[in-house]
Amino acid sequence: MSTSPSVDSITNFITAVRTYNPLPFPVAVTEVMKTLSPFINSDNGLDDDINQSIKDIEERFVQAVRHMCLMVKHTVHSVTMLCSILAVSNTKPHPLSTANVLRLVAEGLLAGNACATDAHVQYTVLRTDVESKFDLFEQKFGEDSVINVSGNSNTIKSTLKVLRDTIVLHLKESEKVSLATVDLLTGINKLLQTFLEDDSFSLKNPLTNAPLFSLDMFPTWKGLREHFITFQAKACRPISSMPVVLDTHQKYLIASWASGDIQNG
């Protein structure tokens, strides 16, 4: 269940932007991949069922990360366009140009919201499956069964319980951030839709005459953009350069999704 403030008014929008915190997400990504990588990239001698389950967890986790990086790409692009038009909105209005930009902004934010929604569903289903799978493994082997994985220079020792707890903890963090993102973008989309459907406001007037885009709202829109630029810098881009954690193919995919070189599909 979401604990994010409902974005159903401009006041709540301001509060939501101030309180939005995506930073647990990159930490979760790093920790999950660091935890799983030794098991994926070594001859670990684990039970075949456990081995396959860990590989499945990694693949599905990376897929969810992909959707969050696509969300960031769409959102940064959209909010950057909006901030650019707001910066010159007090000059002579260009109704057709403004309408086109607002349409593109709305479409981009909807796409970002769809990606965040997909990611949240994937994290939630994956966490449930991880808990179910590890319940079976712990019944079969015991939760304190020791797992030894030989790496290039050392041996990692863990237990089924520690492995499970680490993965589930960070999946929950990923769920929270993705859900908070969905709540935020859903609210913004509704505010934009309400504005675009308001026939009482003419785009022949400066856009800053509208309460949602007033001069007082500049810090909020800029703050929103900064949040997602930070998200991109701390989550999507560094993943592609993580040593050991991702293989070459995964690094390429995440970097491409983050930069927009690979389209959603």
Side-chain angles (χ1 to χ4, degrees):
M1 181 178 294
S2 174
T3 57
S4 304
S6 176
V7 183
D8 54 7
S9 68
I10 292 176
T11 299
N12 287 344
F13 172 37
I14 295 170
T15 300
V17 171
R18 286 176 179 168
T19 58
Y20 178 68
N21 179 22
L23 295 184
F25 179 80
V27 174
V29 172
T30 301
E31 291 304 315
V32 169
M33 297 308 297
K34 281 172 59 178
T35 299
L36 296 179
S37 182
F39 297 92
I40 301 295
N41 299 323
S42 68
D43 184 13
N44 53 50
L46 293 176
D47 178 89
D48 287 344
D49 287 342
I50 297 178
N51 237 337
Q52 186 55 50
S53 293
I54 291 174
K55 290 178 181 178
D56 178 64
I57 291 167
E58 186 220 30
E59 290 173 1
R60 292 166 64 186
F61 184 78
V62 169
Q63 185 72 1
V65 173
R66 171 204 180 202
H67 280 96
M68 288 300 281
C69 289
L70 282 169
M71 174 279 297
V72 170
K73 182 198 75 171
H74 287 301
T75 305
V76 168
H77 180 64
S78 297
V79 180
T80 297
M81 280 196 298
L82 181 59
C83 288
S84 296
I85 197 172
L86 290 179
V88 297
S89 60
N90 277 332
T91 61
K92 185 178 179 180
H94 299 279
L96 183 58
S97 175
T98 300
N100 287 336
V101 170
L102 290 177
R103 176 181 58 80
L104 291 173
V105 168
E107 289 175 355
L109 290 176
L110 283 171
N113 194 17
C115 291
T117 300
D118 286 344
H120 179 254
V121 171
Q122 289 171 326
Y123 286 128
T124 301
V125 173
L126 179 56
R127 176 181 55 79
T128 301
D129 289 349
V130 166
E131 291 175 329
S132 177
K133 278 284 186 184
F134 273 81
D135 279 343
L136 295 175
F137 294 147
E138 289 171 5
Q139 290 173 17
K140 182 177 180 180
F141 301 104
E143 66 176 19
D144 294 322
S145 294
V146 176
I147 302 172
N148 292 307
V149 178
S150 298
N152 293 330
S153 59
N154 63 339
T155 298
I156 298 172
K157 181 175 289 188
S158 185
T159 66
L160 283 175
K161 183 179 187 305
V162 170
L163 184 59
R164 170 195 181 138
D165 289 349
T166 301
I167 296 170
V168 169
L169 170 66
H170 293 296
L171 283 175
K172 286 181 178 178
E173 290 298 315
S174 300
E175 275 186 84
K176 289 178 184 177
V177 173
S178 58
L179 181 56
T181 303
V182 170
D183 289 342
L184 178 61
L185 294 181
T186 297
I188 295 171
N189 284 326
K190 288 180 179 178
L191 293 176
L192 273 176
Q193 182 179 3
T194 299
F195 171 77
L196 293 171
E197 293 175 351
D198 183 5
D199 294 333
S200 67
F201 185 87
S202 172
L203 292 178
K204 293 179 181 179
N205 299 315
L207 194 57
T208 49
N209 286 5
L212 184 60
F213 306 114
S214 68
L215 294 176
D216 290 341
M217 289 297 294
F218 274 27
T220 298
W221 288 110
K222 290 178 181 178
L224 181 69
R225 179 174 179 270
E226 289 168 4
H227 273 315
F228 286 101
I229 287 176
T230 299
F231 200 130
Q232 189 174 51
K234 291 187 176 292
C236 298
R237 288 174 182 162
I239 292 171
S240 63
S241 60
M242 284 183 184
V244 181
V245 173
L246 299 177
D247 63 32
T248 302
H249 179 61
Q250 290 169 332
K251 290 178 182 180
Y252 166 74
L253 288 178
I254 295 294
S256 299
W257 292 325
S259 65
D261 292 339
I262 294 180
Q263 299 300 314
N264 190 9

